[in-house]
Short mmCIF file of all heavy atoms in Angstrom, two decimals:
data_model
loop_
_atom_site.label_atom_id
_atom_site.label_comp_id
_atom_site.label_asym_id
_atom_site.label_seq_id
_atom_site.Cartn_x
_atom_site.Cartn_y
_atom_site.Cartn_z
N MET A 7 0.85 -1.17 0.00
CA MET A 7 0.00 0.00 0.00
C MET A 7 0.90 1.22 0.00
O MET A 7 1.86 1.33 0.74
CB MET A 7 -0.88 -0.04 1.23
CG MET A 7 -1.79 1.13 1.31
SD MET A 7 -2.95 0.83 2.69
CE MET A 7 -3.94 2.25 2.52
N THR A 8 0.56 2.13 -0.88
CA THR A 8 1.35 3.38 -0.97
C THR A 8 0.59 4.52 -0.34
O THR A 8 -0.65 4.57 -0.39
CB THR A 8 1.68 3.72 -2.43
OG1 THR A 8 0.46 3.86 -3.12
CG2 THR A 8 2.52 2.64 -3.06
N THR A 9 1.32 5.41 0.19
CA THR A 9 0.72 6.61 0.79
C THR A 9 1.13 7.81 -0.03
O THR A 9 2.31 8.03 -0.28
CB THR A 9 1.25 6.79 2.24
OG1 THR A 9 0.93 5.64 2.97
CG2 THR A 9 0.58 7.99 2.89
N THR A 10 0.14 8.53 -0.49
CA THR A 10 0.41 9.72 -1.30
C THR A 10 0.11 10.96 -0.48
O THR A 10 -0.98 11.09 0.11
CB THR A 10 -0.46 9.71 -2.55
OG1 THR A 10 -0.21 8.51 -3.27
CG2 THR A 10 -0.14 10.89 -3.43
N THR A 11 1.04 11.83 -0.43
CA THR A 11 0.86 13.08 0.27
C THR A 11 0.86 14.21 -0.76
O THR A 11 1.79 14.33 -1.54
CB THR A 11 1.98 13.33 1.31
OG1 THR A 11 2.02 12.21 2.19
CG2 THR A 11 1.74 14.59 2.07
N LEU A 12 -0.21 14.94 -0.78
CA LEU A 12 -0.31 16.05 -1.73
C LEU A 12 0.12 17.33 -1.00
O LEU A 12 -0.50 17.75 -0.05
CB LEU A 12 -1.73 16.20 -2.25
CG LEU A 12 -2.25 14.99 -3.04
CD1 LEU A 12 -3.69 15.22 -3.44
CD2 LEU A 12 -1.39 14.77 -4.26
N ALA A 13 1.15 17.91 -1.51
CA ALA A 13 1.62 19.17 -0.96
C ALA A 13 1.29 20.29 -1.94
O ALA A 13 1.54 20.14 -3.13
CB ALA A 13 3.11 19.11 -0.70
N PRO A 14 0.72 21.37 -1.48
CA PRO A 14 0.44 22.46 -2.40
C PRO A 14 1.72 23.06 -2.94
O PRO A 14 2.63 23.38 -2.17
CB PRO A 14 -0.35 23.47 -1.55
CG PRO A 14 -0.01 23.12 -0.15
CD PRO A 14 0.33 21.67 -0.11
N THR A 15 1.79 23.16 -4.25
CA THR A 15 2.99 23.73 -4.83
C THR A 15 2.79 25.16 -5.28
O THR A 15 3.71 25.90 -5.42
CB THR A 15 3.45 22.89 -6.04
OG1 THR A 15 2.37 22.84 -6.97
CG2 THR A 15 3.83 21.50 -5.62
N ALA A 16 1.56 25.53 -5.54
CA ALA A 16 1.27 26.90 -5.99
C ALA A 16 0.82 27.73 -4.82
O ALA A 16 -0.06 27.33 -4.06
CB ALA A 16 0.21 26.88 -7.07
N GLN A 17 1.42 28.86 -4.67
CA GLN A 17 1.05 29.77 -3.61
C GLN A 17 0.37 30.99 -4.22
O GLN A 17 0.78 31.45 -5.30
CB GLN A 17 2.30 30.20 -2.85
CG GLN A 17 3.02 29.07 -2.13
CD GLN A 17 2.17 28.50 -1.00
OE1 GLN A 17 1.46 29.22 -0.31
NE2 GLN A 17 2.25 27.19 -0.83
N PRO A 18 -0.62 31.51 -3.58
CA PRO A 18 -1.27 32.70 -4.11
C PRO A 18 -0.31 33.92 -4.04
O PRO A 18 0.48 34.01 -3.11
CB PRO A 18 -2.48 32.93 -3.21
CG PRO A 18 -2.18 32.16 -1.99
CD PRO A 18 -1.29 31.04 -2.37
N VAL A 19 -0.41 34.73 -5.05
CA VAL A 19 0.44 35.91 -5.14
C VAL A 19 -0.32 37.09 -4.59
O VAL A 19 -1.44 37.38 -5.01
CB VAL A 19 0.87 36.16 -6.60
CG1 VAL A 19 1.71 37.42 -6.69
CG2 VAL A 19 1.62 34.97 -7.14
N ALA A 20 0.26 37.77 -3.68
CA ALA A 20 -0.36 38.96 -3.12
C ALA A 20 -0.19 40.14 -4.10
O ALA A 20 0.90 40.35 -4.64
CB ALA A 20 0.27 39.31 -1.79
N ILE A 21 -1.29 40.84 -4.34
CA ILE A 21 -1.24 42.00 -5.20
C ILE A 21 -1.27 43.24 -4.33
O ILE A 21 -2.27 43.51 -3.69
CB ILE A 21 -2.44 42.02 -6.19
CG1 ILE A 21 -2.37 40.75 -7.08
CG2 ILE A 21 -2.43 43.28 -7.02
CD1 ILE A 21 -3.58 40.60 -7.96
N PRO A 22 -0.20 43.97 -4.30
CA PRO A 22 -0.20 45.18 -3.44
C PRO A 22 -1.12 46.25 -3.99
O PRO A 22 -1.07 46.57 -5.17
CB PRO A 22 1.27 45.65 -3.46
CG PRO A 22 1.96 44.83 -4.45
CD PRO A 22 1.07 43.71 -4.91
N VAL A 23 -2.00 46.74 -3.16
CA VAL A 23 -2.98 47.70 -3.59
C VAL A 23 -2.29 49.00 -4.05
O VAL A 23 -2.72 49.62 -5.02
CB VAL A 23 -3.98 48.01 -2.44
CG1 VAL A 23 -4.95 49.09 -2.81
CG2 VAL A 23 -4.71 46.74 -2.06
N GLY A 24 -1.22 49.37 -3.40
CA GLY A 24 -0.52 50.59 -3.79
C GLY A 24 0.04 50.57 -5.18
O GLY A 24 0.10 51.57 -5.84
N GLU A 25 0.44 49.38 -5.65
CA GLU A 25 0.96 49.28 -7.02
C GLU A 25 -0.15 49.17 -8.03
O GLU A 25 0.00 49.58 -9.17
CB GLU A 25 1.87 48.06 -7.13
CG GLU A 25 3.18 48.21 -6.39
CD GLU A 25 4.07 46.98 -6.58
OE1 GLU A 25 3.85 46.24 -7.54
OE2 GLU A 25 5.00 46.81 -5.76
N ALA A 26 -1.28 48.59 -7.66
CA ALA A 26 -2.38 48.40 -8.60
C ALA A 26 -3.26 49.65 -8.71
O ALA A 26 -3.93 49.82 -9.73
CB ALA A 26 -3.24 47.20 -8.17
N LEU A 27 -3.27 50.50 -7.72
CA LEU A 27 -4.19 51.63 -7.70
C LEU A 27 -4.03 52.58 -8.89
O LEU A 27 -5.05 52.95 -9.50
CB LEU A 27 -4.05 52.39 -6.40
CG LEU A 27 -5.08 53.48 -6.14
CD1 LEU A 27 -6.47 52.90 -6.11
CD2 LEU A 27 -4.79 54.21 -4.85
N PRO A 28 -2.82 52.96 -9.30
CA PRO A 28 -2.75 53.83 -10.50
C PRO A 28 -3.30 53.19 -11.74
O PRO A 28 -3.92 53.86 -12.56
CB PRO A 28 -1.22 54.08 -10.65
CG PRO A 28 -0.66 53.82 -9.32
CD PRO A 28 -1.51 52.76 -8.68
N TRP A 29 -3.12 51.89 -11.92
CA TRP A 29 -3.65 51.19 -13.09
C TRP A 29 -5.17 51.09 -13.01
O TRP A 29 -5.85 51.18 -14.02
CB TRP A 29 -3.03 49.81 -13.22
CG TRP A 29 -1.58 49.89 -13.58
CD1 TRP A 29 -0.51 49.73 -12.78
CD2 TRP A 29 -1.05 50.23 -14.85
NE1 TRP A 29 0.65 49.91 -13.47
CE2 TRP A 29 0.34 50.24 -14.76
CE3 TRP A 29 -1.61 50.54 -16.08
CZ2 TRP A 29 1.18 50.51 -15.82
CZ3 TRP A 29 -0.78 50.84 -17.16
CH2 TRP A 29 0.59 50.81 -17.02
N VAL A 30 -5.71 50.91 -11.81
CA VAL A 30 -7.14 50.87 -11.64
C VAL A 30 -7.74 52.23 -11.98
O VAL A 30 -8.77 52.33 -12.67
CB VAL A 30 -7.51 50.46 -10.20
CG1 VAL A 30 -9.01 50.64 -9.93
CG2 VAL A 30 -7.12 49.00 -9.95
N ILE A 31 -7.09 53.29 -11.55
CA ILE A 31 -7.57 54.65 -11.87
C ILE A 31 -7.49 54.90 -13.38
O ILE A 31 -8.42 55.44 -13.99
CB ILE A 31 -6.79 55.70 -11.06
CG1 ILE A 31 -7.12 55.57 -9.58
CG2 ILE A 31 -7.08 57.10 -11.58
CD1 ILE A 31 -6.29 56.43 -8.69
N PHE A 32 -6.39 54.51 -13.98
CA PHE A 32 -6.24 54.68 -15.44
C PHE A 32 -7.28 53.92 -16.21
O PHE A 32 -7.90 54.45 -17.13
CB PHE A 32 -4.80 54.23 -15.84
CG PHE A 32 -4.56 54.32 -17.32
CD1 PHE A 32 -4.43 55.55 -17.93
CD2 PHE A 32 -4.46 53.16 -18.08
CE1 PHE A 32 -4.22 55.62 -19.32
CE2 PHE A 32 -4.23 53.23 -19.43
CZ PHE A 32 -4.11 54.46 -20.05
N ALA A 33 -7.51 52.66 -15.81
CA ALA A 33 -8.52 51.86 -16.48
C ALA A 33 -9.90 52.46 -16.28
O ALA A 33 -10.72 52.43 -17.21
CB ALA A 33 -8.47 50.41 -15.96
N GLY A 34 -10.17 53.01 -15.13
CA GLY A 34 -11.43 53.66 -14.86
C GLY A 34 -11.65 54.89 -15.75
O GLY A 34 -12.75 55.12 -16.26
N LEU A 35 -10.59 55.66 -15.94
CA LEU A 35 -10.69 56.83 -16.81
C LEU A 35 -10.95 56.44 -18.25
O LEU A 35 -11.79 57.03 -18.94
CB LEU A 35 -9.42 57.66 -16.73
CG LEU A 35 -9.23 58.49 -15.48
CD1 LEU A 35 -7.87 59.15 -15.44
CD2 LEU A 35 -10.34 59.53 -15.32
N ILE A 36 -10.23 55.42 -18.73
CA ILE A 36 -10.44 54.93 -20.09
C ILE A 36 -11.89 54.41 -20.25
O ILE A 36 -12.56 54.65 -21.24
CB ILE A 36 -9.45 53.83 -20.43
CG1 ILE A 36 -8.01 54.40 -20.43
CG2 ILE A 36 -9.75 53.18 -21.78
CD1 ILE A 36 -7.77 55.46 -21.49
N LEU A 37 -12.39 53.71 -19.23
CA LEU A 37 -13.75 53.22 -19.26
C LEU A 37 -14.76 54.33 -19.29
O LEU A 37 -15.73 54.28 -20.04
CB LEU A 37 -14.01 52.28 -18.05
CG LEU A 37 -15.39 51.67 -17.98
CD1 LEU A 37 -15.60 50.70 -19.14
CD2 LEU A 37 -15.56 50.95 -16.66
N MET A 38 -14.53 55.41 -18.49
CA MET A 38 -15.46 56.51 -18.48
C MET A 38 -15.45 57.25 -19.82
O MET A 38 -16.50 57.69 -20.28
CB MET A 38 -15.08 57.48 -17.36
CG MET A 38 -15.22 56.86 -15.96
SD MET A 38 -16.88 56.33 -15.62
CE MET A 38 -17.62 57.85 -15.15
N ILE A 39 -14.28 57.38 -20.44
CA ILE A 39 -14.22 58.01 -21.74
C ILE A 39 -14.97 57.16 -22.78
O ILE A 39 -15.73 57.69 -23.62
CB ILE A 39 -12.76 58.22 -22.18
CG1 ILE A 39 -12.12 59.32 -21.30
CG2 ILE A 39 -12.64 58.59 -23.64
CD1 ILE A 39 -10.63 59.46 -21.45
N ALA A 40 -14.81 55.86 -22.71
CA ALA A 40 -15.51 54.96 -23.65
C ALA A 40 -17.02 55.04 -23.43
O ALA A 40 -17.77 55.10 -24.41
CB ALA A 40 -15.02 53.51 -23.47
N ILE A 41 -17.44 55.09 -22.19
CA ILE A 41 -18.89 55.20 -21.92
C ILE A 41 -19.43 56.53 -22.40
O ILE A 41 -20.54 56.61 -22.94
CB ILE A 41 -19.17 54.99 -20.41
CG1 ILE A 41 -18.96 53.52 -20.06
CG2 ILE A 41 -20.56 55.42 -20.04
CD1 ILE A 41 -19.08 53.21 -18.60
N TYR A 42 -18.61 57.60 -22.26
CA TYR A 42 -19.06 58.90 -22.77
C TYR A 42 -19.27 58.82 -24.28
O TYR A 42 -20.30 59.24 -24.80
CB TYR A 42 -18.05 60.00 -22.45
CG TYR A 42 -18.33 61.23 -23.26
CD1 TYR A 42 -19.38 62.08 -22.90
CD2 TYR A 42 -17.58 61.53 -24.39
CE1 TYR A 42 -19.69 63.19 -23.67
CE2 TYR A 42 -17.88 62.63 -25.16
CZ TYR A 42 -18.93 63.47 -24.79
OH TYR A 42 -19.23 64.53 -25.57
N PHE A 43 -18.28 58.30 -25.00
CA PHE A 43 -18.41 58.27 -26.46
C PHE A 43 -19.52 57.37 -26.91
O PHE A 43 -20.17 57.63 -27.92
CB PHE A 43 -17.06 57.86 -27.11
CG PHE A 43 -16.11 59.00 -27.24
CD1 PHE A 43 -14.99 59.07 -26.45
CD2 PHE A 43 -16.38 60.03 -28.13
CE1 PHE A 43 -14.11 60.13 -26.58
CE2 PHE A 43 -15.52 61.11 -28.25
CZ PHE A 43 -14.37 61.16 -27.48
N VAL A 44 -19.76 56.27 -26.21
CA VAL A 44 -20.87 55.40 -26.60
C VAL A 44 -22.21 55.99 -26.21
O VAL A 44 -23.17 55.93 -26.96
CB VAL A 44 -20.67 54.00 -25.98
CG1 VAL A 44 -21.89 53.14 -26.22
CG2 VAL A 44 -19.45 53.33 -26.55
N GLY A 45 -22.28 56.59 -25.04
CA GLY A 45 -23.59 56.98 -24.51
C GLY A 45 -23.99 58.41 -24.63
O GLY A 45 -25.18 58.72 -24.65
N ALA A 46 -23.04 59.34 -24.74
CA ALA A 46 -23.42 60.75 -24.66
C ALA A 46 -22.86 61.61 -25.79
O ALA A 46 -23.12 62.82 -25.81
CB ALA A 46 -22.98 61.35 -23.34
N GLU A 47 -22.10 61.04 -26.69
CA GLU A 47 -21.52 61.82 -27.79
C GLU A 47 -22.57 62.02 -28.87
O GLU A 47 -22.56 61.35 -29.90
CB GLU A 47 -20.27 61.10 -28.32
CG GLU A 47 -19.65 61.71 -29.56
CD GLU A 47 -19.08 63.11 -29.36
OE1 GLU A 47 -18.77 63.48 -28.21
OE2 GLU A 47 -18.94 63.81 -30.36
N GLN A 48 -23.48 62.93 -28.59
CA GLN A 48 -24.55 63.18 -29.54
C GLN A 48 -25.22 64.48 -29.17
O GLN A 48 -25.43 64.76 -27.98
CB GLN A 48 -25.57 62.06 -29.55
CG GLN A 48 -26.70 62.23 -30.56
CD GLN A 48 -27.73 61.12 -30.48
OE1 GLN A 48 -27.75 60.36 -29.53
NE2 GLN A 48 -28.57 61.04 -31.48
N GLY A 49 -25.58 65.28 -30.11
CA GLY A 49 -26.36 66.47 -29.88
C GLY A 49 -25.64 67.55 -29.05
O GLY A 49 -24.53 67.91 -29.37
N ALA A 50 -26.28 68.02 -27.97
CA ALA A 50 -25.73 69.11 -27.19
C ALA A 50 -24.45 68.71 -26.45
O ALA A 50 -23.65 69.60 -26.13
CB ALA A 50 -26.77 69.57 -26.18
N THR A 51 -24.24 67.45 -26.14
CA THR A 51 -23.06 67.03 -25.43
C THR A 51 -21.95 66.55 -26.35
O THR A 51 -20.94 66.05 -25.89
CB THR A 51 -23.41 65.88 -24.46
OG1 THR A 51 -23.94 64.79 -25.20
CG2 THR A 51 -24.41 66.33 -23.42
N ALA A 52 -22.10 66.77 -27.63
CA ALA A 52 -21.13 66.28 -28.60
C ALA A 52 -19.88 67.12 -28.59
O ALA A 52 -19.93 68.34 -28.53
CB ALA A 52 -21.72 66.25 -29.99
N ILE A 53 -18.73 66.48 -28.63
CA ILE A 53 -17.45 67.16 -28.77
C ILE A 53 -17.12 67.37 -30.23
O ILE A 53 -16.68 68.43 -30.66
CB ILE A 53 -16.35 66.38 -28.05
CG1 ILE A 53 -16.58 66.34 -26.55
CG2 ILE A 53 -14.96 66.98 -28.35
CD1 ILE A 53 -15.61 65.48 -25.79
N PHE A 54 -17.32 66.31 -31.01
CA PHE A 54 -17.00 66.34 -32.43
C PHE A 54 -18.24 66.68 -33.24
O PHE A 54 -19.32 66.18 -32.95
CB PHE A 54 -16.43 64.99 -32.89
CG PHE A 54 -15.16 64.63 -32.16
CD1 PHE A 54 -15.18 63.67 -31.18
CD2 PHE A 54 -13.95 65.26 -32.49
CE1 PHE A 54 -13.99 63.33 -30.49
CE2 PHE A 54 -12.79 64.92 -31.84
CZ PHE A 54 -12.80 63.97 -30.83
N LYS A 55 -18.06 67.53 -34.22
CA LYS A 55 -19.17 67.95 -35.05
C LYS A 55 -19.56 66.79 -35.99
O LYS A 55 -18.71 66.08 -36.48
CB LYS A 55 -18.73 69.16 -35.87
CG LYS A 55 -19.85 69.85 -36.61
CD LYS A 55 -19.34 71.09 -37.31
CE LYS A 55 -20.45 71.79 -38.04
NZ LYS A 55 -20.00 73.01 -38.70
N GLY A 56 -20.85 66.69 -36.21
CA GLY A 56 -21.32 65.65 -37.12
C GLY A 56 -21.74 64.40 -36.36
O GLY A 56 -21.74 64.36 -35.14
N MET A 57 -22.10 63.39 -37.08
CA MET A 57 -22.63 62.14 -36.52
C MET A 57 -21.63 60.99 -36.65
O MET A 57 -22.01 59.84 -36.52
CB MET A 57 -23.92 61.75 -37.23
CG MET A 57 -25.03 62.78 -37.08
SD MET A 57 -25.69 62.82 -35.42
CE MET A 57 -26.56 61.26 -35.37
N TYR A 58 -20.37 61.29 -36.93
CA TYR A 58 -19.40 60.24 -37.20
C TYR A 58 -19.19 59.32 -35.98
O TYR A 58 -19.21 58.10 -36.09
CB TYR A 58 -18.08 60.82 -37.64
CG TYR A 58 -18.18 61.59 -38.94
CD1 TYR A 58 -18.04 62.97 -38.97
CD2 TYR A 58 -18.46 60.93 -40.11
CE1 TYR A 58 -18.16 63.68 -40.15
CE2 TYR A 58 -18.59 61.61 -41.32
CZ TYR A 58 -18.44 63.00 -41.34
OH TYR A 58 -18.55 63.68 -42.50
N VAL A 59 -19.00 59.93 -34.82
CA VAL A 59 -18.76 59.13 -33.61
C VAL A 59 -20.03 58.35 -33.26
O VAL A 59 -19.95 57.16 -32.91
CB VAL A 59 -18.30 60.01 -32.45
CG1 VAL A 59 -18.18 59.21 -31.16
CG2 VAL A 59 -16.99 60.70 -32.78
N HIS A 60 -21.15 59.00 -33.37
CA HIS A 60 -22.41 58.34 -33.05
C HIS A 60 -22.64 57.12 -33.93
O HIS A 60 -23.03 56.06 -33.48
CB HIS A 60 -23.57 59.34 -33.20
CG HIS A 60 -24.91 58.72 -32.99
ND1 HIS A 60 -25.47 58.54 -31.75
CD2 HIS A 60 -25.81 58.19 -33.87
CE1 HIS A 60 -26.62 57.94 -31.87
NE2 HIS A 60 -26.88 57.71 -33.15
N GLU A 61 -22.40 57.32 -35.22
CA GLU A 61 -22.63 56.20 -36.13
C GLU A 61 -21.61 55.09 -35.92
O GLU A 61 -21.90 53.92 -36.11
CB GLU A 61 -22.57 56.70 -37.58
CG GLU A 61 -23.70 57.63 -37.97
CD GLU A 61 -25.07 56.99 -37.85
OE1 GLU A 61 -25.16 55.77 -38.04
OE2 GLU A 61 -26.04 57.72 -37.55
N PHE A 62 -20.39 55.48 -35.53
CA PHE A 62 -19.36 54.47 -35.28
C PHE A 62 -19.68 53.55 -34.11
O PHE A 62 -19.41 52.39 -34.14
CB PHE A 62 -18.00 55.15 -35.09
CG PHE A 62 -16.85 54.20 -34.96
CD1 PHE A 62 -16.35 53.54 -36.07
CD2 PHE A 62 -16.25 53.96 -33.73
CE1 PHE A 62 -15.31 52.67 -35.97
CE2 PHE A 62 -15.18 53.08 -33.64
CZ PHE A 62 -14.71 52.44 -34.75
N VAL A 63 -20.28 54.13 -33.06
CA VAL A 63 -20.58 53.34 -31.85
C VAL A 63 -22.06 53.04 -31.75
O VAL A 63 -22.54 52.66 -30.70
CB VAL A 63 -20.12 54.10 -30.59
CG1 VAL A 63 -18.61 54.28 -30.62
CG2 VAL A 63 -20.80 55.42 -30.43
N HIS A 64 -22.80 53.15 -32.86
CA HIS A 64 -24.24 53.03 -32.82
C HIS A 64 -24.70 51.66 -32.33
O HIS A 64 -25.63 51.57 -31.50
CB HIS A 64 -24.80 53.29 -34.22
CG HIS A 64 -26.27 53.43 -34.24
ND1 HIS A 64 -27.10 52.62 -34.97
CD2 HIS A 64 -27.11 54.26 -33.58
CE1 HIS A 64 -28.35 52.96 -34.78
NE2 HIS A 64 -28.39 53.96 -33.92
N ASP A 65 -24.09 50.61 -32.78
CA ASP A 65 -24.49 49.28 -32.31
C ASP A 65 -24.20 49.10 -30.84
O ASP A 65 -24.95 48.43 -30.10
CB ASP A 65 -23.79 48.17 -33.12
CG ASP A 65 -24.30 48.13 -34.55
OD1 ASP A 65 -25.39 48.67 -34.82
OD2 ASP A 65 -23.59 47.56 -35.40
N GLY A 66 -23.10 49.68 -30.36
CA GLY A 66 -22.78 49.62 -28.96
C GLY A 66 -23.81 50.36 -28.10
O GLY A 66 -24.13 49.94 -26.99
N ARG A 67 -24.31 51.47 -28.64
CA ARG A 67 -25.37 52.21 -27.91
C ARG A 67 -26.58 51.31 -27.69
O ARG A 67 -27.13 51.25 -26.60
CB ARG A 67 -25.80 53.44 -28.70
CG ARG A 67 -24.81 54.54 -28.76
CD ARG A 67 -25.34 55.68 -29.61
NE ARG A 67 -26.47 56.30 -28.99
CZ ARG A 67 -26.38 57.38 -28.21
NH1 ARG A 67 -25.21 57.89 -27.97
NH2 ARG A 67 -27.45 57.92 -27.69
N HIS A 68 -27.01 50.66 -28.74
CA HIS A 68 -28.19 49.78 -28.61
C HIS A 68 -27.90 48.56 -27.75
O HIS A 68 -28.76 48.14 -26.97
CB HIS A 68 -28.67 49.33 -30.00
CG HIS A 68 -29.37 50.42 -30.73
ND1 HIS A 68 -30.69 50.69 -30.59
CD2 HIS A 68 -28.89 51.34 -31.63
CE1 HIS A 68 -31.01 51.72 -31.36
NE2 HIS A 68 -29.94 52.13 -31.98
N LEU A 69 -26.69 48.04 -27.85
CA LEU A 69 -26.34 46.90 -27.03
C LEU A 69 -26.37 47.24 -25.54
O LEU A 69 -26.79 46.44 -24.72
CB LEU A 69 -24.93 46.39 -27.43
CG LEU A 69 -24.43 45.18 -26.68
CD1 LEU A 69 -25.26 43.97 -27.02
CD2 LEU A 69 -22.96 44.95 -26.99
N LEU A 70 -25.89 48.41 -25.19
CA LEU A 70 -25.84 48.83 -23.78
C LEU A 70 -27.09 49.48 -23.29
O LEU A 70 -27.20 49.83 -22.12
CB LEU A 70 -24.64 49.75 -23.57
CG LEU A 70 -23.28 49.09 -23.83
CD1 LEU A 70 -22.20 50.11 -23.73
CD2 LEU A 70 -23.05 47.96 -22.84
N GLY A 71 -28.09 49.71 -24.19
CA GLY A 71 -29.36 50.22 -23.76
C GLY A 71 -29.45 51.72 -23.65
O GLY A 71 -30.38 52.23 -23.01
N PHE A 72 -28.54 52.45 -24.25
CA PHE A 72 -28.65 53.87 -24.24
C PHE A 72 -29.76 54.33 -25.19
O PHE A 72 -29.92 53.73 -26.28
CB PHE A 72 -27.32 54.56 -24.68
CG PHE A 72 -26.28 54.49 -23.62
CD1 PHE A 72 -25.25 53.56 -23.71
CD2 PHE A 72 -26.28 55.36 -22.55
CE1 PHE A 72 -24.28 53.47 -22.72
CE2 PHE A 72 -25.30 55.31 -21.58
CZ PHE A 72 -24.32 54.36 -21.66
N PRO A 73 -30.51 55.37 -24.86
CA PRO A 73 -31.53 55.82 -25.76
C PRO A 73 -30.92 56.41 -27.02
O PRO A 73 -29.92 57.10 -26.95
CB PRO A 73 -32.29 56.90 -24.95
CG PRO A 73 -31.34 57.32 -23.91
CD PRO A 73 -30.48 56.16 -23.62
N CYS A 74 -31.55 56.14 -28.15
CA CYS A 74 -30.94 56.58 -29.41
C CYS A 74 -31.98 57.19 -30.32
O CYS A 74 -32.04 58.38 -30.49
CB CYS A 74 -30.27 55.38 -30.07
SG CYS A 74 -29.32 55.79 -31.52
N HIS A 75 -32.83 56.39 -30.87
CA HIS A 75 -33.85 56.87 -31.80
C HIS A 75 -35.11 56.09 -31.67
O HIS A 75 -35.15 55.11 -30.97
CB HIS A 75 -33.35 56.84 -33.25
CG HIS A 75 -32.79 55.52 -33.65
ND1 HIS A 75 -33.55 54.46 -34.07
CD2 HIS A 75 -31.49 55.09 -33.65
CE1 HIS A 75 -32.75 53.46 -34.33
NE2 HIS A 75 -31.50 53.80 -34.08
ZN1 ZN B 26 -29.96 53.87 -32.77
#
């Protein structure tokens, strides 16, 4: 009869919050910019003239449930 002992070989890696925080803030800013262009880049809140941005993200607007037409 053999005895098998399973020893954990993988240890969890600690993620220091101080090192991850700038990347979390950066990703949040990129996400907010993307949400703006998908959801609010139209009409009075438009930065770019014309409907180019709106038409480019039009399917995304409908997918995310933003009011459109
Ligand atoms: Zn639409």
Side-chain angles (χ1 to χ4, degrees):
M7 181 172 183
T8 58
T9 304
T10 303
T11 304
L12 299 176
T15 57
Q17 296 294 324
V19 177
I21 299 174
V23 176
E25 290 182 18
L27 188 60
W29 291 103
V30 170
I31 292 172
F32 178 71
L35 286 174
I36 296 296
L37 180 66
M38 296 300 278
I39 290 171
I41 288 175
Y42 166 76
F43 277 110
V44 171
E47 174 64 22
Q48 181 183 14
T51 59
I53 294 175
F54 298 104
K55 190 176 180 179
M57 297 291 288
Y58 297 112
V59 175
H60 175 84
E61 294 298 330
F62 185 72
V63 297
H64 191 239
D65 291 342
R67 290 178 66 93
H68 285 274
L69 180 68
L70 296 174
F72 286 101
C74 187
H75 50 83

